[in-house]
């Protein structure tokens, strides 16, 4: 039996699956190879589909529809509370899916800000509406020119720092801190950095009107979403091979002709589509010496520098946070970020190869929407921590992981005093772990930093934003391609559309 | 201020003219005497020696050394055997020449590249991800070029362990001179019989002293860059930044040349597989290069004619190579059309002709055809009838014998 | 009774004077009104310590457009550009890097740290040359009207120009609009002192660090200079930068312009949307057909014109205009020749520039402190001895040192600049002493200008030396406000011509020239 096929997709992440599904639907025979296995047991008795995303808020409706995810059993949960921000002074701020409730909570901190919140939300909504269609396109220089010259308001909000836009609108530190926490996702910088405004827009792009960024959970856990995507792809005839590592991409006369697996098996294909990071794809699978130096240098210069760590806690009971008045406040994101300055100072440490003593924490309770993941009454907490730099100065992650876990837990102790005593198990994923266990170059969850200089036609590298690569018949479809990381599904669907267009031409 | 080379203590007292040039940041004699004549004729008639230490030198070592070079340069390095030397250009992704140089294969996995410009980053980046180490050994080795008909005889007196009669053109051997290990390559930039001697810098002075002592009986003279620039034109050898501009120095595309345009088609191997610049070069080959490097000759009768018009005898001798490019035309004085430029030109005392290296539009670059070379005769620009001739202008049998 | 002018220029900075020169040359009757006792604005030389002339604020020339020099005959009017060819980067740990015109000496200086970088330096300079060449077009053209029907030709020309730019160059240029200087430079270099030394161009006058996104754009802006057709050349002006202003003023006068100093303008004479003249602080009213402001947007619109009747989107943008400075200027009068620890004795380096505390980490720390409203004690100083290029700046054998100091924020968290001015001066001297051990005993006088002083003295709102931070959303079509770029304002007969207009700051004269061309073109309609 021949393993050969029309298209090999490397990586069964959501973008790989979405691309595979679309290509198979167009009549291609598609094989998806994935290095990792399916085991979701994280602690004895606890299951969790570990991954970069705990929230499916950014996943676009067009993708949900194309794959028929709802029909395949995916149920999205949209809790009333989107974000809960306990404060050092024991108070708290809560954002809701319904903006009036958010405004009421803001009013307890600042009537000025409460009065402006709806207008701010509308402004952000207007700008994300302008941005949105550009995220669905194959980016070009012309597109960038049009945006740059034709959309000054979008450029202004994208170019300034999140701190600056938030200062235009608001006065309250708690509110600005909470909102700013969305502006630094995928960036090593803090909210004082230029262009952090762009990330704020990017994170709000798929959001409904409540006031926090796009946020939505999957009933039964993120594993359910992935399974539905696999089901959808296989329904179109996509073949899946798990626990199958690709050794390298086969080249002939500068074109990709297939892959060689780690066990030596060769699979030929007309197209190879990689959802792995661009650096991994080009340097490990293609090899730098098969690239022109000019392109090789661009890939080498692509910035990753992941700064996200994750701590998963299994706890014997739900934690209680300061300023918490009802259990429902923990249904969304619990964000420890009391001010933009707090967040900026957290980012400062990363520049010098350290993690900060007072980190940004963004916590979701996985078992809220998937109680079946844990034994009855027990819970799983996903704690996303910033900023943990991939490269530590004068130390290593082997030496520092215990200290990082301790820093996170100590920070948490200020906001959820009893939590520590309830911990049954814990697992820390450092940026190095993201790289070694998940293949994410330098632990960058977004397959390359999400700075404006690496977006649109500049992603993954200047001049190669159209999913094609200098290697003929090799395409990119992962978060390293436009429009980037976050569970949007757009790189995968954009790439598939572009591939089919190129084939048709 | 430029630095002294390892031979400076020896060359400085001999440099009577005190005429120095800056060669890659090193002090290099332009001429030792006030007239170039003795140096020039020593090369063609006896032997001359020039300090070429300012060249950049790189050791390329490792299991992938051959593969790294093979993807970097235009020639097929698999065919370069141990002990062999290849002259080759190397190109950018655009197929335009980034630089050129000699590559000595010292061992199966060890090459040494000598070139006129820094190339460490380029080579390292070409070999990024390969099992190869590139080391800049520019200051570790001093080098002399011993050139001219007597060079072999002199060298034979110096080293007994190496059979120089069997050391062929563009081959390398290890010699022992005064108990100093000297790498000897039968190479040079003069187009004559000649050798280049590579020693560790601390032995430079000893090598020089021994060479000059033995060479005296054979008419050996040190020579400088002025004369080198004359004889290399006679030998039809290109000089970077004069006859072509390296891609990393060219400011506009029009300043760049590819090897096909520079008359180096013989050094481009399209059959060896991928190399940097192959695709655009192949396309250019198929399309036919726009430019060709040619040799131009203006004979004595023409020079007589031009100067006779102002009642003078030809004033061309005692001039050294001019690097001021001059236009080349076709069509005579009426309706003339510029077809290119001569980039290096001089009156060859040996050949007794005015010769030039010129880059012409391909349709006008046919061997044997006549073109007009701009010359200045007593303040006036005139057109001299020049013939396109085979390069090199001077090609003595002893060079290869 | 006041005679009526064709044009009144508010502010005799280099752009105001340039604009005046062009208008006067075209036959207009021009009056320039300057608040201070001398012309120049941020381009002045003053004798603060007897016998010593300080370039009070700006101190180097590079961006001055050739066409301004030649159109206004500035050489005839005394402009002299003196060599400024070397840079000495000094790190706190004793490392140093000396870059100079001798190609191979610079190669070897860099190669001490990295041979790769020494080689990459040429590649980098060539790429930047291409980028500058591509951007140069913008220095000569007003931002186009994005309404295609209103002015199709400008947009067509711009598109055509972009079409001629090599793709690699174009992408590098786009990268520069948003990237950090450190990430940009890391594409070529690995050596900290070299990267940091080059990154200083990305920090000048701006509240960004090498690792801040946006510092690439500042670097590009600072690279846009050319002198006599050679890109990226820097020069001292004879007589300090005041020498440039004096030449511009002389030129304007020679064409018939009138310049009045000590004549601060209080407000415009507005008649609805029409501007008819100005009212001086003295109460004097002067009318003119055209009023041109060379001041910041805040001064131009909020103070002089007044918010009333201005479009609300313009007012909002002006209020959000970021012009907070982070640079201070300290001038030192010296009794003798400073001696650098890294390069002892006399040498060409004394006639060039030096940078202190050069390292990416140091700059980041300085920035971190500054962004929270304080300044470090060991500072980044971009310094030079103007008197080595121009001995007339100081008494014989004595010298003046200019110290441009970054990361001294406009907003201090503790205390005020009035309280902490001398503390800053002391920090500068302490910093210098680390690199120039004999500096303290040489100092016979000093002048300190904090961002607050810059704002107060020459009306640079927020103290930013470019009249507004150089960043993507404050450039080109958005300088000083989207929909209000170019040189016209929503008020009839009211124009802008300062650094807050395209193509922005530095002693270029470009906004002044382009504004004058616009005014003249409008007058022809």
């Amino acid at each position: 039996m021949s393993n050969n096929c029309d298209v090999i997709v490397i990586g069964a992440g959501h973008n790989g699956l979405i691309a595979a599904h679309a290509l198979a639907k167009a009549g291609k025979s598609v094989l998806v190879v994935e290095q990792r296995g399916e085991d979701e047991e994280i602690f004895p008795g606890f299951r969790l589909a570990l991954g970069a995303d705990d929230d499916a808020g950014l996943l676009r409706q067009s993708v949900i529809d194309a794959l028929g995810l709802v029909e395949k059993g995916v149920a999205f949960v949209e809790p009333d509370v989107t974000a809960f921000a306990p404060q050092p002074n024991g108070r708290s701020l809560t954002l809701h899916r319904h903006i009036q409730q958010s405004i009421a909570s803001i009013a307890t901190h600042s009537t000025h800000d409460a009065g402006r919140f709806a207008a701010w939300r509308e402004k952000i909504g207007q700008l994300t509406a302008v941005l949105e269609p550009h995220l669905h396109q194959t980016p070009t220089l012309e597109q960038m020119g049009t945006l740059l010259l034709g959309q000054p308001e979008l450029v202004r909000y994208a170019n300034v720092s999140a701190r600056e836009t938030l200062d235009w609108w608001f006065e309250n530190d708690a509110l600005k801190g909470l909102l700013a926490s969305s502006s630094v996702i995928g960036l090593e910088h803090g909210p004082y950095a230029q262009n952090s405004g762009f990330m704020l827009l990017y994170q709000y792009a798929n959001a409904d009107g409540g006031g926090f960024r796009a946020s939505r959970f999957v009933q039964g856990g993120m594993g359910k979403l992935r399974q539905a995507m696999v089901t959808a792809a296989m329904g179109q005839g996509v073949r899946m091979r798990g626990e199958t590592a690709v050794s390298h991409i086969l080249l002939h006369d500068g074109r990709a002709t297939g892959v060689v697996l780690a066990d030596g098996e060769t699979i030929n294909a007309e197209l190879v589509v990689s959802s792995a990071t661009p650096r991994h794809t080009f340097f490990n699978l293609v090899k730098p010496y098969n690239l022109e130096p000019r392109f090789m240098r661009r890939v080498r210069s692509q910035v990753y520098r992941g700064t996200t760590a994750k701590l998963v806690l299994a706890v014997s009971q739900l934690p209680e946070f300061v300023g918490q008045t009802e259990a429902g406040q923990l249904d969304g994101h619990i964000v420890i970020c009391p001010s933009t300055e707090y967040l900026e100072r957290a980012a400062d440490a990363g520049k010098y190869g350290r993690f900060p003593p007072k980190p940004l924490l963004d916590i979701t309770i996985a078992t809220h929407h998937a109680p079946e993941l844990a034994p009855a009454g027990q819970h799983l907490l996903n704690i996303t921590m910033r900023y943990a730099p991939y490269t530590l100065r004068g130390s290593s992650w082997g030496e520092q992981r215990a200290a990082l876990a301790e820093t996170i837990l100590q920070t948490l102790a200020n906001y959820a005093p009893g939590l520590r005593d309830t911990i049954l198990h814990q697992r820390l994923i450092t940026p190095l772990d993201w790289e070694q266990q998940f293949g994410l170059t330098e632990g960058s969850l977004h397959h390359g930093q999400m700075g404006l200089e690496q977006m649109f036609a500049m992603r993954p590298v200047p001049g190669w934003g159209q999913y094609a690569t200098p290697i003929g018949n090799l395409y990119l479809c992962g978060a390293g391609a436009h429009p980037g990381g976050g569970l949007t599904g757009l790189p995968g669907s954009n790439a598939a559309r572009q591939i089919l267009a190129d084939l048709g031409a | 201020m430029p630095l002294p080379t390892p031979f400076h203590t020896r060359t400085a007292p001999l440099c009577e003219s005190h005429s120095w040039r800056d060669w890659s940041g090193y002090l290099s004699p332009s001429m030792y005497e006030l007239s170039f004549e003795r140096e020039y004729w020593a090369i063609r008639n006896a032997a001359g020696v020039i300090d070429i230490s300012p060249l950049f030198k790189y050791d390329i070592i490792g299991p992938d050394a051959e593969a790294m070079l093979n993807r970097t340069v235009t020639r097929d390095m698999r065919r370069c055997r141990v002990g062999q030397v290849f002259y080759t250009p190397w190109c950018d992704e655009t197929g335009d020449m980034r630089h050129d140089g000699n590559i000595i294969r010292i061992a199966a996995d060890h090459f040494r590249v000598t070139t006129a410009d820094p190339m460490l980053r380029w080579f390292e980046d070409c070999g990024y991800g390969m099992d190869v180490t590139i080391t800049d050994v520019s200051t570790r080795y001093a080098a002399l070029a011993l050139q001219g008909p007597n060079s072999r005889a002199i060298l034979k007196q110096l080293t007994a362990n190496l059979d120089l009669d069997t050391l062929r053109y563009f081959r390398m051997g290890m010699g022992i001179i005064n108990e100093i290990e000297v790498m000897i390559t039968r190479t040079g930039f003069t187009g004559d019989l000649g050798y280049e001697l590579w020693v560790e810098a601390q032995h430079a002075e000893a090598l020089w002293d021994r060479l000059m002592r033995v060479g005296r009986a054979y008419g050996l003279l040190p020579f400088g860059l002025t004369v080198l620039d004359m004889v290399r034109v006679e030998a039809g050898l290109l000089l970077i930044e004069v006859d072509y501009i390296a891609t990393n120095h060219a400011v506009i595309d029009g300043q760049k040349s590819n090897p096909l345009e520079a008359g180096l088609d013989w050094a481009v191997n399209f059959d060896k597989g991928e190399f940097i610049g192959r695709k655009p070069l192949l396309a250019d080959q198929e399309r036919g290069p726009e430019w060709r490097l040619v040799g131009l000759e203006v004979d004595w009768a023409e020079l007589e004619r031009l100067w006779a018009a102002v009642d003078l005898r030809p004033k061309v001798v005692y001039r050294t190579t001019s690097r001021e490019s001059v236009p080349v035309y076709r069509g005579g004085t009426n309706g003339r059309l510029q077809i290119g430029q001569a980039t290096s030109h001089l009156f060859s005392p040996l050949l007794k002709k005015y010769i030039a290296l010129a880059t012409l539009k391909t349709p006008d670059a046919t061997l044997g055809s006549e073109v007009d070379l701009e010359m200045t005769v007593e303040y006036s620009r005139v057109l001299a009838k020049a013939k396109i001739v085979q390069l090199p202008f001077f090609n003595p049998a002893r060079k290869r014998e | 009774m006041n005679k009526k002018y064709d044009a009144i220029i508010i502010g005799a900075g280099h752009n105001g004077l340039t604009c005046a020169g062009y208008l006067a040359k075209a036959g207009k009757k021009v009056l320039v009104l300057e608040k201070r006792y001398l012309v120049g604005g941020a381009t002045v030389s003053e004798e603060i310590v007897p016998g010593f002339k300080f370039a009070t604020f700006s101190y180097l020339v590079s961006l001055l457009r050739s066409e301004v020099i030649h159109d206004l005959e500035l050489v005839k009017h005394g402009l002299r550009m003196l060599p400024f060819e070397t840079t000495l980067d000094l790190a706190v740990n004793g490392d140093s890097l000396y870059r100079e015109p001798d190609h191979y000496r610079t190669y070897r200086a860099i190669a001490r740290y990295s041979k790769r970088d020494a080689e990459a330096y040429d590649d980098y300079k060539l790429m930047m040359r291409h980028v500058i060449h591509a951007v140069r077009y913008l220095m000569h053209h007003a931002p186009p009207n994005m309404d295609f029907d209103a002015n199709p030709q400008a947009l067509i020309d711009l598109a055509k120009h972009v079409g001629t730019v090599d793709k690699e160059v174009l992408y590098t240029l786009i990268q520069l609009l948003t990237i950090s200087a450190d990430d940009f430079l890391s594409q070529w270099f690995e050596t900290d002192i070299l990267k940091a030394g080059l990154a200083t161009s990305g920090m000048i006058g701006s509240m960004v660090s090498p690792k801040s996104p946006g510092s690439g754009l500042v670097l590009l802006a600072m690279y846009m200079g050319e002198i006599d057709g050679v890109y990226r050349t820097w020069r001292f002006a004879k007589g300090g930068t005041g020498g440039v202003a004096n030449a511009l003023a002389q030129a304007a006068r020679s064409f018939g312009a009138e310049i009045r100093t000590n004549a601060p303008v209080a407000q415009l004479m507005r008649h609805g949307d029409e501007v008819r003249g100005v009212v001086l602080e003295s109460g004097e009213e002067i009318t003119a057909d055209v009023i041109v402001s060379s001041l910041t947007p805040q001064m131009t619109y909020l103070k002089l014109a007044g918010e009333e009747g201005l479009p609300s989107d313009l007012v909002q943008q002006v209020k959000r205009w970021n012009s907070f400075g982070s640079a201070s200027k300290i001038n030192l009068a010296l009794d003798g020749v400073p001696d650098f620890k890294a390069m002892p004795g006399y040498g060409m380096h004394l006639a060039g520039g030096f940078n202190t505390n050069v390292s990416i980490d140091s700059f980041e720390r300085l920035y971190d402190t500054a962004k929270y409203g304080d300044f470090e004690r060991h500072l980044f100083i971009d310094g030079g001895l103007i008197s080595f290029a121009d001995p007339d700046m100081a008494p014989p054998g004595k010298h003046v040192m200019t110290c441009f100091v970054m990361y001294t924020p406009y907003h201090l968290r503790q205390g005020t600049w009035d309280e902490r001015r001398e503390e800053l001066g002391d920090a500068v001297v302490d910093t210098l002493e680390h690199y120039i051990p004999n500096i303290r005993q040489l100092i016979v006088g000093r002048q300190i200008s904090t961002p607050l002083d810059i704002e107060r003295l020459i009306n640079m709102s927020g103290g930013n030396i470019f009249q507004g931070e150089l960043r993507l959303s404050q450039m080109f079509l958005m300088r000083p406000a989207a929909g209000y770029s170019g040189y016209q304002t929503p008020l009839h007969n009211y124009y802008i011509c300062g650094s807050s207009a395209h193509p922005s700051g530095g002693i270029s004269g470009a906004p002044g020239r382009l504004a004058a061309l616009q005014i003249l073109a409008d007058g022809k309609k």
Side-chain angles (χ1 to χ4, degrees), chain A residues 285-471:
Chain A
L285 302 182
V286 170
K287 306 295 179 194
Y289 46 81
N290 289 313
L291 304 166
E292 289 186 341
R294 188 165 56 187
F295 182 78
M296 185 281 291
R297 285 171 172 172
R298 290 286 195 193
V299 174
R300 196 173 53 191
S301 299
Q302 197 203 356
V303 173
Y304 287 82
R305 296 200 288 259
T307 53
T308 305
K310 190 175 217 170
L311 182 65
V312 181
L313 297 181
V315 291
S316 56
Q317 64 185 70
L318 267 185
E320 253 184 64
F321 284 84
V322 298
Q324 186 188 345
T325 52
E326 49 185 296
Q329 281 173 311
L330 307 187
D331 284 354
H333 291 259
I334 304 155
V335 180
I336 307 298
C337 187
S339 68
T340 49
E341 182 169 330
Y342 176 96
L343 185 55
E344 181 71 12
R345 287 186 186 274
D348 288 347
K351 287 199 288 192
Y352 310 104
R354 301 187 300 266
F355 53 83
K358 292 181 176 178
L360 162 70
L361 301 179
D362 185 326
I363 305 153
T364 58
I365 302 176
T367 38
H368 264 162
H369 322 295
E372 62 268 37
L373 297 180
Q378 300 182 349
H379 288 276
L380 278 170
L381 269 59
N382 268 317
I383 305 170
T384 299
M385 175 274 176
R386 306 287 306 284
Y387 294 74
Y390 172 76
T391 307
L392 290 171
R393 283 208 205 153
S395 188
S396 69
W397 275 116
E399 287 167 18
Q400 291 297 319
R401 50 186 312 127
L404 175 60
E406 183 56 26
T407 296
I408 296 171
L409 292 175
Q410 274 187 10
T411 305
L412 261 182
N414 296 325
Y415 298 89
L419 174 70
R420 194 158 201 160
D421 300 332
T422 68
I423 297 172
L424 302 169
H425 307 280
Q426 66 181 61
R427 179 170 167 194
L428 178 72
I429 307 166
T430 67
L432 186 65
D433 298 329
W434 284 123
E435 180 174 74
Q436 291 177 342
Q437 296 166 28
F438 296 80
L440 295 165
T441 305
E442 293 185 9
S444 167
L445 304 188
H446 290 71
H447 293 208
Q449 201 159 138
M450 296 283 280
L452 261 188
E453 73 282 1
Q454 288 191 164
M455 301 303 279
F456 298 100
M458 315 291 279
R459 191 169 189 87
V461 299
W464 293 96
Q466 289 82 43
Y467 308 99
T469 71
I471 304 293

Side-chain angles (χ1 to χ4, degrees), chain A residues 159-164 167 173 176 180 183-184 189-197 339-345 347-348 387, chain C residues 207-209 212-213 322 367-373 413 469 471:
Chain A
N159 173 235
V160 299
S161 66
R163 173 224 200 176
E164 202 169 339
D167 283 348
D173 281 344
K176 289 190 284 186
S183 73
V184 294
H189 305 290
Y192 287 22
Q194 269 181 48
N195 307 334
S196 49
S339 68
T340 49
E341 182 169 330
Y342 176 96
L343 185 55
E344 181 71 12
R345 287 186 186 274
D348 288 347
Y387 294 74
Chain C
M207 194 54 183
V208 288
S209 69
S212 305
N322 187 318
Y367 168 68
D368 287 349
T369 301
K371 71 189 176 190
Y372 303 121
R413 196 165 276 188
E469 192 93 336
R471 65 181 189 198

Side-chain angles (χ1 to χ4, degrees), chain A residues 87-155:
Chain A
Q87 300 298 315
N89 61 7
R91 299 180 62 199
S92 70
L93 175 69
T94 310
L95 294 183
H96 297 259
R97 202 158 292 276
H98 303 290
I99 193 160
Q100 289 311 323
Q101 286 174 271
S102 298
I103 290 170
S105 176
I106 294 166
T108 66
H109 293 266
S110 160
T111 50
H112 168 271
D113 292 359
R116 306 202 68 183
F117 194 70
W120 175 79
R121 190 60 194 82
E122 196 185 334
K123 180 82 189 173
I124 298 299
Q126 286 165 4
L127 295 173
T128 54
V130 175
L131 179 64
E132 183 67 10
H134 293 275
L135 304 181
H136 293 254
Q137 288 173 18
T138 297
T140 60
L141 271 179
E142 291 71 23
Q143 175 200 30
M144 291 179 74
T146 312
L147 275 173
L148 259 179
L149 301 181
Q151 297 293 344
E153 193 70 349
L154 183 64
V155 171

Side-chain angles (χ1 to χ4, degrees), chain C residues 42-207:
Chain C
T43 316
V44 289
S45 304
E46 294 176 85
E47 192 170 324
I48 303 292
V49 178
F52 294 86
K53 292 194 199 85
F54 291 153
T56 311
F57 307 108
S58 61
Y59 56 101
L60 282 176
V61 189
S62 169
L63 304 168
L64 189 59
R65 306 313 302 167
S66 301
E67 54 278 12
V68 172
I69 294 175
H70 296 286
D71 290 347
L72 301 183
E73 301 171 38
L74 296 187
V75 174
K76 188 173 107 184
H77 294 293
L79 178 72
R80 295 289 179 275
M81 312 261 246
L82 304 169
F84 176 86
E85 297 191 292
T86 66
T87 308
L88 178 58
D89 293 317
L90 302 163
V92 71
N93 65 2
D95 278 356
S96 67
L97 178 64
Y98 181 54
R99 290 179 281 134
E100 54 175 321
D102 182 325
H103 177 268
Y104 277 102
R105 274 221 293 211
T106 301
Y107 172 87
R108 288 195 296 261
I110 300 172
R112 276 201 301 145
Y113 296 98
S114 161
K115 285 183 169 136
R116 277 180 68 89
D117 284 9
E119 186 180 325
Y121 194 56
D122 282 351
D123 289 355
Y124 168 74
K125 286 197 295 188
L126 186 63
M127 177 50 93
M128 289 314 290
R129 190 248 167 237
H130 291 316
V131 172
I132 296 162
H133 195 66
V135 179
R136 187 172 178 272
Y137 176 93
L138 299 180
M139 304 297 286
H140 304 144
H141 292 83
N145 188 333
M146 285 307 287
D147 177 3
F148 185 80
D149 298 327
N151 184 5
Q153 201 52 48
L155 278 173
I156 292 169
D157 289 348
L158 177 64
K160 251 192 220 158
H161 169 72
V162 173
T164 64
V165 180
D166 174 81
K167 284 278 183 294
E168 279 290 309
V169 175
L170 193 56
Y171 277 110
T172 306
L173 168 57
I174 294 169
Q175 212 180 30
L176 273 169
L177 302 180
T178 54
I179 201 172
S180 75
D182 184 48
D183 281 346
F184 185 73
L185 293 163
S186 295
Q187 296 178 110
W188 287 271
F189 307 116
E190 58 192 11
T191 304
D192 187 74
I193 195 168
L194 175 62
K195 274 201 286 185
L198 292 171
T200 58
S201 296
M203 294 147 44
I204 295 305
S206 304
M207 194 54 183

